[in-house]
Amino acid sequence: MLGHTLKSTVRVLLRRKFFTAVSLFGVALTLVVLVVAAALLDHTFGPHPPEVYSGRSLGIFRASLKGKSWTRNGGPGGRLLETCARALPGAEITSFYSAQDQEVTYRDGERVSLWVKRTDGAFWRALHFRFLEGGPFTDADDAAANAVAVVNDATRRKLFGDGRGVGKTLRLDGRTFTVVGVVADVPFLRAVPFADVWLPARTARSDAEARAWVGELRALIVARSRADLPGIREEYRRRVAAVDVSAEPRFDRLESEAESFLEMGARGMAGTSPHRAALAVAFFIALAVCFMALPALNLVNLALSRILERSSEVGVRKAFGATRWRLVLQFVTENVILSLAGGALGIVLSAGVLSAVNQSGLIPYAQLALNVRVLLWGLLATCVFGVLSGALPALRMSRLHPVEALQGGPR
Amino acid sequence: MTRHLFRLVWNRRRSHLLVGLEILVSFLIVFVVAVLSVTTFGNARQPVGFSVKDVTVVEAGLKKGMSGGDRSGEDQAGEDRERMRRALEAVRRLDGVESAAGVYLAPYGSGNARNAQEVSGRRIEYGYTEATDELLEVLKLQVVAGRWFSREDDGRPYRAAVVTRELAREVFGGEDPVGKDLPDAGGPPEEPARRAIRVVGVVAAYRERNVYSAAEPFAIFRTDLSNPADSAPSRIVVRLRPGTPRDFEEKLVTTLEATVGEWSFTAEPLEVTRDSAARRQLVPMLAGALVGAFLMLLVALGLTGVLWQNVTRRTREIGLRRATGATARHVAVQVVMEVWIVTALAVLVGGAVALQAPLFVPGGLLTAADALSGAALAALALFALTGLCAAYPGWLAARVDPSEALRYE
Amino acid sequence: MIRLENVEKVYRTDRIETIALSNVSLDVAEGEFVSIMGPSGSGKSTLLHVMGLLDAPTKGSVTLNGRKVESYFDAALAKVRNAELGFVFQTFHLVPDLSVLDNVEVPLLYRGTGGKERRKRAEAALERVGLSARTRHYPSQLSGGQQQRVAIARAIVGAPRILLADEPTGNLDSATGDDVLDLLKDLNTRERCTVVMVTHDERQAAKTHRTVRLFDGRPVS
């Protein structure tokens, strides 16, 4: 029976090349978009090194000074973090670092622009970078404001050519830094670890950041276990609420939350007001539904056309003893096979698109990859697609009266 | 003829329903893309309200180990004002600098400051910055009513402010805003010396977030560096003489650090920050549009297939029409018209949904006019798309030979 | 073998009722070759469809092989059609996407016959109609007469006791038509198949045991 269905499917699909091609294209395209989106999400938020503790990490990315009507939004400042984020109960590692900033250095008189992050020593324990040469700078380096730097591999190549990086120097911000470590490139989209050059926080020439409630710093907190996360959020919120900012003109309270990276990303898209966030989420869901519905509808329409044309076949099969469910099974199998073929094509295409994105430099240091999880979900989605899009036309056709079917199908 | 076609479409409603649904969903997707393009590029054409060219932003911060120690916040603020005054003077003396002003937040920055309050039941929210008098020349702002703030406002019991047209309209409606006070729920009650914020003038626009963002209500409050009630700005915007090379930045920074030893400075042209902000906004939109375009290609191919199939299935009907005197043209037009009727119905339903969109987009970011032109664009695109899809099947139908068709089983 | 009692068939649409068969009673004995004749619209095909359980009568009853058809549930009918009946149509109705052999195998599929057995029996049926050389061809590569032979092979592959043929020669020229009729006659005499055939052709009707004439949905004699 299966052999017969397969044989007939292959013939049907080969005889109607246009329909087959369009259906394959539709399934493949949908899958490509899904896989690329999933790869981007995974690439940005997934648990990949250096963020080895991402399952039990929280970040502090935003802070607001608020008054009755006045608001000042930004990242947390040093004063806020020192007051509220140190030694939270349940925290194993607490690291403060600056948002990356674009700074300029010169190589043989040529301007080289670099993303610079200033971090403490704990940063290197909270994140496990892969060191190609040397190692990280330490808390002691930071405390003494030693002029040392860690650079990524791309920067090493840009500044020092093919030779080793450790021991070389680079001038940034009016000071000369000695390279103590070289790490593998970290993708741009991984906002927490990403930079070209990492410098000790206290080498900054200004301590405006350290004195501010709202500024451009970030905190990364690794908890002892996942179970400690709610407690850390709660304690941080409590401490922030207790801060007295009445010395600031116009402002009377601080607001800041410890949140996961995914929450931070979602908030970045949706904005801060909960009303707006809900609307934005609804909008994205609606758009995603439309996006999924369209190829599905397209596939249903094509399958319907393909099956309508074969009403005589439906009539004959019925006359010779096929039950409704047999026919539904046959048409659904056809569509599932078609979808799976489209799925396979989609996976090949996705791999191509991902490597093209990686190589294009559109996203600096992108390492988008097809992973097994994404693939399996994609395949599952494809099968569901095939069953759904095949079932509707099949049900409609199988309900057809045999005499009507023999006479050429529904009008 | 049209009535006949309507009846034909109605009689085949079951098979047309799914095609109609597909067109409806396509319409909604095209609508979203169209509205985004209309608003985005509409915004991009709007005046930003200031001139970006030859402007550099210098950010100032207190150097390490130079913190104020145990001095009170008020002493600190006074020192900061004095330092900023010296810094501005030094910059203005530099050859190549046309003008310089101190500001609280510069355009296209990452942080923002906002004021939101209820005024007689309406929520009014606006962004603001604070600046010294020279901002007018540095950013070449266009004052459209009243005047720019100036020394005239020294020692007054109010704080002078210039607002954008949007803010004036939102707060004062049709009334002349000049001379009126902005409503202010105020800071904590114990704050000393609360001053009213008086509007002295209106500027055309001040779109400081992004090239593609909508014009929004904005206010610029006056900072008087000799007034103890004002806090010192932390950024300097500098207008350079046209054609000044970029390495002038370095001279700027060294001069400033020599003048105010306690502070460190970093400089960045405003054009650079503007472009990177624009790119952040544009790239996801382009990706979305690309996906949308592929989806439409998919729909077009699918629809062509369905219509083609339809024509083949109805060869007998077409043959009959030809036999009873329909020309090849009639037949082809019929195929296209049938699809257009389905499209029209789908667009009607989709349009009704789409025109509700302004009610759900917060902050009045989507005007009814924009939604309407987005819907019109989307409708046009879909009629073109479905017409194109019907063209080949229509041509096939026109070629049907009546005698062949009537024999066809 | 086949017994129709007071069968009535009425087609209802929104506004009109069409009476296709009214009060038809008919007995076909085992081994009989019966032809049904009548002008267009007299209900010949409807009668055949009712006999073949492709269509349910509005009133009256159908008895096949001594078993009265009580319910017209899809699955039950499918089983009876598969086991007891073989159909031949005027327009052949071969599945264009299947080879000749696969087309003939179709009825056996719905019986759960194993692949090897199916092949063996399909080949035997094709040999019976004289087409064993064409098993790998597709319907579009065959002439009309050959296609109808394939259709007959498909009808007999499951060894049904009743063959129902709806104008089997209607789309064929007279010489080919005669060949097909001879084949049916041969099946009737040698295989003891009961055959009911709708035809337009007096000459062919004359070759059958008995002719039932229909006029406006009623038998006339």
Side-chain angles (χ1 to χ4, degrees):
Chain A
M1 182 73 199
L2 189 68
H4 177 90
T5 309
L6 287 179
K7 221 188 292 179
S8 134
T9 303
V10 171
R11 272 297 290 185
V12 166
L13 297 182
L14 284 181
R15 206 158 69 87
R16 296 159 184 81
K17 291 196 182 61
F18 182 78
F19 279 71
T20 309
V22 172
S23 309
L24 283 179
F25 175 68
V27 176
L29 175 75
T30 314
L31 204 65
V32 167
V33 174
L34 283 180
V35 166
V36 171
L40 266 174
L41 276 178
D42 187 66
H43 176 79
T44 313
F45 300 111
H48 299 299
E51 288 162 276
V52 286
Y53 302 127
S54 65
R56 51 186 170 104
S57 294
L58 289 174
I60 300 167
F61 304 99
R62 264 160 234 275
S64 303
L65 263 172
K66 292 206 165 162
K68 287 252 159 43
S69 66
W70 306 92
T71 311
R72 166 88 172 92
N73 298 317
R79 191 161 170 201
L80 170 62
L81 292 180
E82 288 297 343
T83 319
C84 302
R86 278 278 173 231
L88 287 161
E92 188 180 315
I93 310 170
T94 304
S95 164
F96 301 159
Y97 61 94
S98 69
Q100 66 265 21
D101 213 6
Q102 213 150 21
E103 290 186 26
V104 168
T105 188
Y106 292 86
R107 188 210 172 188
D108 309 332
E110 202 180 310
R111 220 182 129 89
V112 180
S113 168
L114 297 170
W115 290 103
V116 176
K117 221 169 219 164
R118 290 175 197 265
T119 78
D120 53 12
F123 187 75
W124 305 99
R125 293 193 297 280
L127 300 165
H128 289 195
F129 284 84
R130 193 158 67 84
F131 276 87
L132 305 173
E133 287 175 47
F137 49 79
T138 60
D139 285 321
D141 283 325
D142 183 29
N146 289 338
V148 290
V150 173
V151 300
N152 68 0
D153 201 33
T155 305
R156 177 194 60 77
R157 228 175 310 117
K158 245 188 263 175
L159 295 181
F160 315 123
D162 292 332
R164 276 175 64 84
V166 170
K168 299 262 173 39
T169 59
L170 75 157
R171 261 193 89 74
L172 272 173
D173 202 15
R175 253 184 109 167
T176 305
F177 291 84
T178 308
V179 174
V180 293
V182 177
V183 295
D185 293 343
V186 177
F188 176 75
L189 288 176
R190 303 197 73 100
V192 176
F194 170 76
D196 290 316
V197 180
W198 295 262
L199 305 176
R202 289 198 172 81
T203 58
R205 290 186 305 153
S206 155
D207 66 357
E209 272 300 333
R211 293 188 307 141
W213 292 114
V214 172
E216 288 299 323
L217 293 190
R218 307 282 184 262
L220 171 61
I221 300 162
V222 179
R224 286 201 190 86
S225 72
R226 280 186 81 92
D228 289 317
L229 294 178
I232 291 176
R233 288 174 191 248
E234 193 44 53
E235 175 63 14
Y236 179 69
R237 195 178 302 133
R238 204 187 55 70
R239 288 186 190 177
V240 170
V243 169
D244 176 24
V245 289
S246 55
E248 301 282 333
R250 294 200 293 260
F251 301 117
D252 58 3
R253 66 184 190 280
L254 266 168
E255 280 179 15
S256 178
E257 298 270 340
E259 52 194 358
S260 72
F261 309 134
L262 193 66
E263 286 168 332
M264 180 266 291
R267 194 177 294 206
M269 268 191 292
T272 37
S273 112
H275 176 61
R276 244 179 218 214
L279 267 170
V281 166
F283 175 75
F284 278 114
I285 289 176
L287 214 59
V289 165
C290 279
F291 167 74
M292 292 294 283
L294 202 55
L297 268 174
N298 200 45
L299 211 58
V300 169
N301 272 330
L302 282 167
L304 194 61
S305 277
R306 211 172 59 224
I307 293 174
L308 274 176
E309 191 199 18
R310 290 155 65 193
S311 69
S312 137
E313 177 182 339
V314 172
V316 168
R317 287 184 188 269
K318 281 205 156 185
F320 283 101
T323 57
R324 261 186 81 180
W325 297 111
R326 265 283 171 61
L327 285 173
V328 171
L329 199 68
Q330 186 197 342
F331 287 129
V332 168
T333 312
E334 262 180 33
N335 245 37
V336 168
I337 290 172
L338 183 65
S339 301
L340 284 177
L345 187 69
I347 286 164
V348 173
L349 282 179
S350 314
V353 169
L354 291 181
S355 83
V357 170
N358 286 345
Q359 268 154 31
S360 69
L362 207 64
I363 306 167
Y365 315 131
Q367 293 152 17
L368 297 176
L370 272 178
N371 67 33
V372 179
R373 213 154 24 112
V374 170
L375 268 187
L376 287 180
W377 278 108
L379 274 180
L380 183 72
T382 315
C383 284
V384 171
F385 233 60
V387 170
L388 287 184
S389 61
L392 187 71
L395 275 174
R396 195 166 150 200
M397 257 344 243
S398 69
R399 228 174 349 199
L400 211 59
H401 201 277
V403 174
E404 210 184 337
L406 286 168
Q407 282 161 0
R411 291 288 145 197
Chain B
M1 184 67 186
T2 323
R3 274 184 62 179
H4 172 85
L5 281 174
F6 264 108
R7 209 170 300 131
L8 205 66
V9 169
W10 175 248
N11 289 344
R12 271 194 260 276
R13 58 193 175 274
R14 269 177 67 99
S15 51
H16 280 144
L17 186 68
L18 278 168
V19 171
L21 205 61
E22 190 174 341
I23 296 176
L24 171 61
V25 176
S26 309
F27 173 82
L28 291 176
I29 288 179
V30 176
F31 170 73
V32 170
V33 173
V35 156
L36 280 177
S37 332
V38 164
T39 53
T40 306
F41 293 106
N43 287 341
R45 276 209 316 273
Q46 296 290 319
V48 284
F50 49 80
S51 150
V52 170
K53 208 166 153 24
D54 301 315
V55 175
T56 287
V57 179
V58 183
E59 209 165 331
L62 193 65
K63 269 190 194 163
K64 276 184 26 88
M66 303 274 183
S67 63
D70 291 333
R71 271 169 307 166
S72 74
E74 227 160 285
D75 285 352
Q76 181 71 57
E79 251 174 48
D80 283 352
R81 276 194 299 274
E82 177 53 28
R83 284 171 185 148
M84 180 50 75
R85 213 181 43 70
R86 286 207 322 264
L88 284 171
E89 268 172 19
V91 170
R92 284 182 199 128
R93 271 199 304 273
L94 278 175
D95 187 33
V97 170
E98 287 193 342
S99 54
V103 289
Y104 172 47
L105 293 171
Y108 309 127
S110 59
N112 62 73
R114 315 193 64 71
N115 183 353
Q117 50 198 274
E118 297 264 327
V119 176
S120 50
R122 249 175 350 117
R123 189 184 149 85
I124 289 174
E125 185 174 341
Y126 61 90
Y128 70 90
T129 188
E130 300 170 2
T132 58
D133 297 347
E134 301 80 9
L135 191 72
L136 178 70
E137 297 99 69
V138 175
L139 291 183
K140 293 188 174 163
L141 297 165
Q142 297 147 0
V143 179
V144 292
R147 59 178 174 84
W148 183 253
F149 46 67
S150 64
R151 306 216 58 141
E152 201 178 311
D153 301 298
D154 278 359
R156 301 293 176 117
Y158 58 79
R159 188 171 197 187
V162 167
V163 298
T164 60
R165 268 193 198 133
E166 268 75 27
L167 181 57
R169 191 181 317 126
E170 238 176 69
V171 176
F172 305 107
E175 294 169 46
D176 180 14
V178 175
K180 296 206 172 61
D181 288 350
L182 280 177
D184 180 12
E190 63 270 22
E191 187 187 312
R194 267 177 56 194
R195 291 172 294 167
I197 297 171
R198 179 151 308 160
V199 177
V200 298
V202 179
V203 287
Y206 192 85
R207 288 198 301 126
E208 47 101 46
R209 279 198 178 187
N210 204 304
V211 182
Y212 300 115
S213 63
E216 61 172 340
F218 199 85
I220 304 163
F221 303 149
R222 178 170 192 247
T223 296
D224 175 6
L225 290 175
S226 58
N227 186 342
D230 291 352
S231 47
S234 54
R235 288 170 184 82
I236 303 172
V237 284
V238 185
R239 172 162 292 279
L240 302 175
R241 194 178 302 139
T244 310
R246 211 182 147 182
D247 54 18
F248 183 74
E249 273 169 36
E250 208 175 338
K251 193 170 167 198
L252 200 60
V253 168
T254 10
T255 309
L256 278 167
E257 288 190 347
T259 313
V260 185
E262 299 90 339
W263 278 352
S264 79
F265 299 88
T266 49
E268 183 106 69
L270 199 49
E271 271 178 313
V272 172
T273 15
R274 178 196 62 186
D275 290 346
S276 78
R279 202 169 327 123
R280 268 201 305 278
Q281 176 98 349
L282 206 56
V283 164
M285 280 188 43
L286 281 180
L290 195 67
V291 170
F294 268 114
L295 278 180
M296 289 309 114
L297 178 62
L298 183 65
V299 168
L301 289 172
L303 210 57
T304 309
V306 170
L307 293 174
W308 183 359
Q309 181 55 45
N310 214 345
V311 165
T312 324
R313 248 164 59 79
R314 285 162 54 191
T315 309
R316 273 167 70 97
E317 177 204 317
I318 293 162
L320 192 81
R321 282 176 192 276
R322 295 282 271 127
T324 52
T327 62
R329 227 181 106 87
H330 277 140
V331 173
V333 166
Q334 185 202 336
V335 171
V336 176
M337 282 307 290
E338 261 191 71
V339 184
W340 272 354
I341 288 172
V342 178
T343 309
L345 293 174
V347 164
L348 229 56
V349 176
V353 174
L355 290 182
Q356 308 305 310
L359 300 179
F360 294 97
V361 176
L365 284 177
L366 177 62
T367 61
D370 279 348
L372 195 65
S373 50
L377 263 181
L380 215 65
L382 271 160
F383 275 108
L385 187 87
T386 52
L388 215 63
C389 292
Y392 178 64
W395 180 74
L396 275 186
R399 278 175 17 128
V400 164
D401 176 19
S403 63
E404 282 278 316
L406 289 173
R407 263 195 311 148
Y408 179 81
E409 257 288 345
Chain C
M1 191 85 227
I2 308 174
R3 162 170 292 177
L4 303 186
E5 279 171 306
N6 306 323
V7 165
E8 194 175 297
K9 178 73 191 175
V10 181
Y11 289 109
R12 286 199 178 82
T13 59
D14 295 346
R15 262 156 281 171
I16 43 163
E17 280 190 359
T18 319
I19 299 173
L21 293 175
S22 80
N23 209 16
V24 178
S25 294
L26 182 68
D27 257 311
V28 179
E30 186 161 5
E32 227 183 337
F33 192 153
V34 178
S35 55
I36 302 174
M37 287 199 71
S40 291
S42 59
K44 313 183 291 287
S45 290
T46 307
L47 184 64
L48 199 77
H49 290 151
V50 168
M51 275 186 205
L53 309 185
L54 291 175
D55 223 345
T58 318
K59 259 190 218 153
S61 70
V62 180
T63 310
L64 280 183
N65 285 338
R67 248 180 310 136
K68 193 162 165 185
V69 179
E70 303 278 3
S71 90
Y72 276 84
F73 272 120
D74 180 66
L77 290 186
K79 208 168 162 188
V80 177
R81 286 199 293 259
N82 185 271
E84 319 262 355
L85 302 167
F87 293 91
V88 179
F89 305 98
Q90 178 178 8
T91 49
F92 324 136
H93 284 310
L94 296 178
V95 180
D97 296 308
L98 296 177
S99 70
V100 163
L101 195 65
D102 288 332
N103 259 295
V104 175
E105 278 183 15
V106 165
L108 301 177
L109 281 173
Y110 301 117
R111 231 177 244 203
T113 314
K116 264 198 195 129
E117 176 70 10
R118 278 204 313 259
R119 165 138 317 183
K120 216 176 78 190
R121 289 175 67 175
E123 273 167 357
L126 280 166
E127 194 168 338
R128 183 72 185 78
V129 300
L131 272 178
S132 31
R134 308 251 169 195
T135 54
R136 302 269 156 231
H137 286 68
Y138 282 86
S140 57
Q141 299 165 311
L142 302 179
S143 71
Q146 286 170 327
Q147 288 192 44
Q148 194 59 300
R149 279 160 186 273
V150 174
I152 291 172
R154 177 176 63 187
I156 61 170
V157 73
R161 296 171 64 192
I162 303 168
L163 264 185
L164 301 174
D166 191 356
E167 299 200 38
T169 61
N171 271 20
L172 304 174
D173 61 67
S174 63
T176 326
D178 284 346
D179 285 349
V180 167
L181 188 72
D182 289 343
L183 183 59
L184 287 175
K185 194 121 181 69
D186 196 46
L187 288 169
N188 172 250
T189 47
R190 284 215 226 152
E191 251 83 3
R192 303 278 305 143
C193 239
T194 309
V195 182
V196 180
M197 176 178 77
V198 169
T199 184
H200 258 123
D201 190 335
E202 283 288 355
R203 217 162 42 84
Q204 290 188 346
K207 292 185 186 171
T208 63
H209 300 159
R210 173 155 75 99
T211 302
V212 177
R213 287 173 199 280
L214 284 184
F215 192 78
D216 280 352
R218 292 166 204 279
V220 289
S221 39

